[in-house]
Amino acid sequence: KDTVANLTNHSYFNLAGQGNILSHELTLHASRFTPVDAGLIPTGELKAVDSTPFDFRKSTAVGARIDADNEQLHLGRGYDHNWVLDSGGGRLMEAAEVYEPGSGRLLKVLTDQPGIQFYSGNFLDGTIKGKDGKPYQFRSGLCLETQHFPDSPNHTGFPTTELKAGKTYHTVTVYGFSVR
C-alpha cells in the first residue's frame, strides 16, 4: 500500500576524536531552514538563513553562534534543525562539509535528498557510550542526517515523502573522509 517513508542515518561525528565539536567548521549548502516549535517539530515555514545564526553557507565554527540569543537555538539547546538544500534533491550533490582544524580531518556529505538535519549533540548527557565505552557528553558529537524534511506529511509546502505501492525506496548519501 502507499505509505510514508523518510529514512535517515543518525551517526555521530567528532573529527577531533574527543572533546566537544564547537571548533569544527561547518558549511551547509542551504539558504533556508525549517524553524521548529517547542516540541522541535517543523512549523511548516521555510526561513532564510540570511543574518541569522543558521547561516553556514560559508565555513563557520559550530560554536561561533550556537549560544546566540535566538528563539530557535533556545528551543533546541543549540542546532537541531533541518536545512533546505539549495540543490533541491533528486541528484547527488554536495550538501555539507565539516573540517576540524586541529586534526586536519575533513568530512564531505553528498546526497540526493532535499534536506539535511544538523544536530549539535545538545541532548547528549553521558548516558550513551561510544568507542572504548567513552560516554558522549554535551556537544561531543554532531550529526548530519540527509532526508526529506521532518513532518513532511503535515506540510503541503514540503517535498512529499509518500512511497507509492510497488515502488522501491532508494536514496544515496555519501560520507567522504580525507585530510586537508
Side-chain angles (χ1 to χ4, degrees):
K1 294 187 175 193
D2 295 348
T3 191
V4 173
N6 189 18
L7 306 178
T8 191
N9 180 336
H10 191 65
S11 295
Y12 285 91
F13 299 101
N14 183 324
L15 301 181
Q18 60 185 358
N20 68 49
I21 47 83
L22 299 178
S23 66
H24 286 52
E25 298 171 4
L26 175 66
T27 305
L28 293 171
H29 301 291
S31 302
R32 297 176 295 165
F33 76 105
T34 56
V36 296
D37 63 19
L40 299 181
I41 304 298
T43 63
E45 180 184 2
L46 302 176
K47 185 173 183 174
V49 300
D50 293 321
S51 302
T52 75
F54 292 83
D55 192 351
F56 286 96
R57 292 174 294 176
K58 293 182 181 170
S59 183
T60 305
V62 170
R65 302 176 297 225
I66 199 167
D67 292 319
D69 188 16
N70 176 282
E71 179 187 16
Q72 286 295 301
L73 291 174
H74 293 306
L75 290 171
R77 298 179 57 194
Y79 298 104
D80 191 3
H81 296 78
N82 172 72
W83 271 255
V84 179
L85 295 173
D86 292 338
S87 68
R91 64 187 195 287
L92 192 63
M93 298 286 291
E94 186 174 308
E97 178 180 291
V98 181
Y99 176 67
E100 201 288 306
S103 68
R105 293 180 184 120
L106 178 70
L107 165 61
K108 289 191 179 216
V109 181
L110 292 84
T111 189
D112 60 2
Q113 293 294 284
I116 189 167
Q117 183 89 8
F118 166 44
Y119 171 60
S120 54
N122 318 311
F123 296 100
L124 295 174
D125 62 4
T127 57
I128 298 173
K129 305 283 191 248
K131 187 175 181 180
D132 298 325
K134 292 184 180 178
Y136 288 123
Q137 301 293 344
F138 182 65
R139 296 183 178 159
S140 64
L142 63 85
C143 301
L144 293 166
E145 306 169 41
T146 62
Q147 60 188 359
H148 274 63
F149 309 165
D151 202 34
S152 285
N154 296 309
H155 302 288
T156 55
F158 285 9
T160 183
T161 55
E162 184 180 32
L163 178 62
K164 295 289 190 180
K167 296 293 182 182
T168 301
Y169 181 88
H170 177 83
T171 128
V172 176
T173 295
V174 175
Y175 294 99
F177 296 88
S178 62
V179 293
R180 184 183 289 161

